[in-house]
């Protein structure tokens, strides 16, 4: 089954609502994370939502606004991976995450009715980049997070997210994917002031001196 070709409508970046404090500008990547995965390896996630009555442009704007808010406690996602001697760290410079809007005429049922191998090929188009072989511009080769929101022909949407495996693991990703829609639906109260990410990994697996 051939990969579905989606049409990219717009491409930009989303920055967090408020600047990262100076004392949090440096997010150290642990030795284990630095050597365990290839430099450009992303955790890929695609979430499908059935058709409902909505204006896609308004929905996307709501997702952008809530993403900007929820990125405050997940501030490393806005930064870029840098190298200091032989060590990797995140420069939390608030450059933002890549955000794409796209469309595809196919219905949601088309992507859910076949076997796993066929599904895998079909959903690649819903990801903002290839998680294993990303083709990025030079200024984006250390990108940490990218998002793609795709409108389906039936009115449903697909949200594809790629997050650097060197910066976060499954627990942090699950936490983020729970917090973002809650904020979009205004179920979240105030944006947390501290990061839900595991900040202790670099203490347990210290980088090279």
């Amino acid at each position: 089954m051939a990969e579905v070709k989606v049409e990219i409508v717009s491409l930009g970046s989303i920055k967090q609502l408020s600047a990262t404090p100076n004392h949090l500008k440096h997010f150290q990547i642990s030795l284990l994370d630095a050597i365990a995965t290839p430099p450009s390896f992303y955790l890929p996630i695609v979430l499908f939502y059935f058709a409902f009555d909505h204006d896609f442009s308004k929905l996307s704007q709501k997702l952008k606004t809530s993403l900007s808010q929820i990125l405050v406690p997940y501030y490393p996602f806005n930064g870029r991976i840098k190298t200091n001697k032989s060590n990797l760290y995140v420069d939390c410079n608030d450059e933002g995450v890549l955000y794409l809007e796209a469309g595809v005429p196919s219905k949601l049922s088309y992507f859910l009715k076949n076997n796993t191998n066929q599904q895998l090929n079909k959903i690649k188009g819903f990801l903002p980049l290839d998680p294993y072989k990303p083709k990025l511009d030079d200024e984006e080769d250390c990108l940490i997070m990218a998002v793609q929101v795709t409108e389906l022909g039936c009115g449903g949407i697909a949200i594809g997210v790629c997050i650097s495996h060197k910066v976060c693991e499954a627990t942090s990703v699950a936490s983020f994917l729970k917090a973002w829609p809650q904020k979009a639906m205004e179920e979240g109260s105030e944006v947390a002031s501290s990061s839900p990410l595991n900040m202790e990994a670099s203490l347990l697996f210290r980088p090279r001196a």
Side-chain angles (χ1 to χ4, degrees):
M1 182 66 66
E3 177 182 339
V4 171
K5 300 296 182 181
V6 303
E7 179 184 359
I8 303 300
V9 177
S10 68
L11 184 153
S13 64
I14 302 297
K15 298 184 178 182
Q16 64 188 55
L17 184 62
S18 58
T20 300
N22 289 332
H23 70 283
L24 297 177
K25 290 289 187 180
H26 185 100
F27 181 88
Q28 184 63 56
I29 295 176
S30 72
L31 176 61
L32 185 62
D33 290 324
I35 65 176
T37 56
S40 298
F41 179 84
Y42 292 82
L43 292 169
I45 304 100
V46 179
L47 305 175
F48 289 102
Y49 296 88
F50 287 103
F52 56 95
D53 185 18
H54 71 277
D55 181 307
F56 180 74
S57 61
K58 291 182 179 179
L59 174 63
S60 184
Q61 184 57 50
K62 193 171 186 178
L63 289 172
K64 291 178 183 179
T65 300
S66 56
L67 179 58
S68 176
Q69 294 171 329
I70 206 62
L71 281 173
V72 174
Y74 292 87
Y75 59 92
F77 292 178
N78 297 267
R80 298 294 184 267
I81 296 177
K82 306 288 185 179
T83 302
N84 181 10
K85 296 181 180 180
S86 59
N87 299 323
L88 295 178
Y89 71 97
V90 177
D91 181 9
C92 301
N93 51 21
D94 303 337
E95 288 192 33
V97 303
L98 184 66
Y99 188 96
L100 289 75
E101 292 177 327
V104 64
S106 303
K107 296 181 178 180
L108 179 57
S109 58
Y110 172 77
F111 302 99
L112 302 179
K113 66 183 179 181
N114 295 302
N115 65 47
T116 303
N117 290 333
Q118 292 175 327
Q119 288 175 337
L120 181 60
N121 288 327
K122 288 189 294 185
I123 66 175
K124 284 182 179 179
F126 295 120
L127 293 171
L129 49 84
D130 187 325
Y132 311 118
K133 296 179 180 180
K135 296 179 180 180
L136 299 170
D137 296 334
D138 291 339
E139 68 270 19
E140 295 177 336
D141 60 357
C142 295
L143 186 73
I144 293 174
M145 179 179 173
V147 175
Q148 179 176 315
V149 180
T150 305
E151 182 179 24
L152 304 173
C154 61
I157 65 169
I159 299 178
V161 180
C162 288
I163 305 179
S164 172
H165 200 300
K166 288 189 177 296
V167 177
C168 66
E169 28 58 58
T171 302
S172 298
V173 173
S175 172
F176 172 80
L177 292 177
K178 179 180 179 181
W180 183 15
Q182 285 180 338
K183 177 57 64 176
M185 297 172 65
E186 300 180 346
E187 293 180 356
S189 52
E190 297 182 357
V191 177
S193 58
S194 59
S195 173
L197 296 171
N198 181 3
M199 306 290 282
E200 304 299 325
S202 61
L203 299 178
L204 297 174
F205 302 98
R206 295 183 179 277
R208 298 183 180 95

